[in-house]
Amino acid sequence: MVSGTAMTVKEQPVTIGDATIDAEYYAERNPDVAAVFGTDAEILFQHYIMTGQAEGRLPYDTLGETKGDVSEEEQV
């Protein structure tokens, strides 16, 4: 047992069909999408498949970022 150590657990991306998405990351990274569609994983997955992929939106943390470390400029 490790005592006194804080750990952050990151949600793992989920593969649905031929695509992989981390709904929490996708919603955080795309606040405009979350504002319209909410945070339901299936709805965000559908958004990614239908338009997000063509728009160049990332479906999960492909760059090794820590959630919440996205500047306002990057979110726009």
Side-chain angles (χ1 to χ4, degrees), residues 26 45-59:
Y26 193 72
F45 174 76
Q46 289 301 318
H47 178 274
Y48 174 71
I49 294 300
M50 300 292 284
T51 58
Q53 189 172 21
E55 295 171 344
R57 297 177 190 260
L58 296 176

Side-chain angles (χ1 to χ4, degrees), residues 5-19:
T5 303
M7 293 177 56
T8 302
V9 177
K10 235 170 103 172
E11 185 176 321
Q12 295 297 311
V14 174
T15 300
I16 303 172
D18 294 334

Side-chain angles (χ1 to χ4, degrees), residues 1 4 13 20 40 57 61 76:
M1 182 172 153
T20 301
D40 181 87
R57 297 177 190 260
D61 183 5
V76 177

